[in-house]
Amino acid sequence: MGLGFFATGYGEGVPERDFRRDHGGSADGICTDVRTDPHTGETVIVPSNRDAPACYAAANLLHAQWKQAR
């Protein structure tokens, strides 16, 4: 259960800064999202004691802010 990461934000026409590795999961009453930038090594971990997609929305916000700061 949850042994790997998946890559998102890559492909033709997508800026390299959008590439990231993710791993997330949820169960009743919990949600977790982990995102790592392979270029900088920066990692964002968002745990939540709410059902999904609560943590994913927070991680999306943090990722959008991070992209603007670069």
Side-chain angles (χ1 to χ4, degrees):
M1 295 183 56
L3 299 177
F5 280 78
F6 60 91
T8 60
Y10 65 95
E12 187 175 327
V14 177
E16 188 173 322
R17 72 175 183 271
D18 290 351
F19 178 77
R20 65 184 191 268
R21 293 184 181 124
D22 298 300
H23 184 81
S26 63
D28 290 339
I30 62 170
C31 180
T32 304
D33 195 11
V34 178
R35 298 180 183 201
T36 300
D37 183 317
H39 303 294
T40 65
E42 296 171 308
T43 300
V44 172
I45 302 170
V46 180
S48 175
N49 59 351
R50 295 183 170 256
D51 292 335
C55 67
Y56 305 131
N60 286 337
L61 175 66
L62 291 170
H63 187 241
Q65 290 176 348
W66 172 79
K67 286 192 317 186
Q68 287 178 351
R70 288 180 89 190

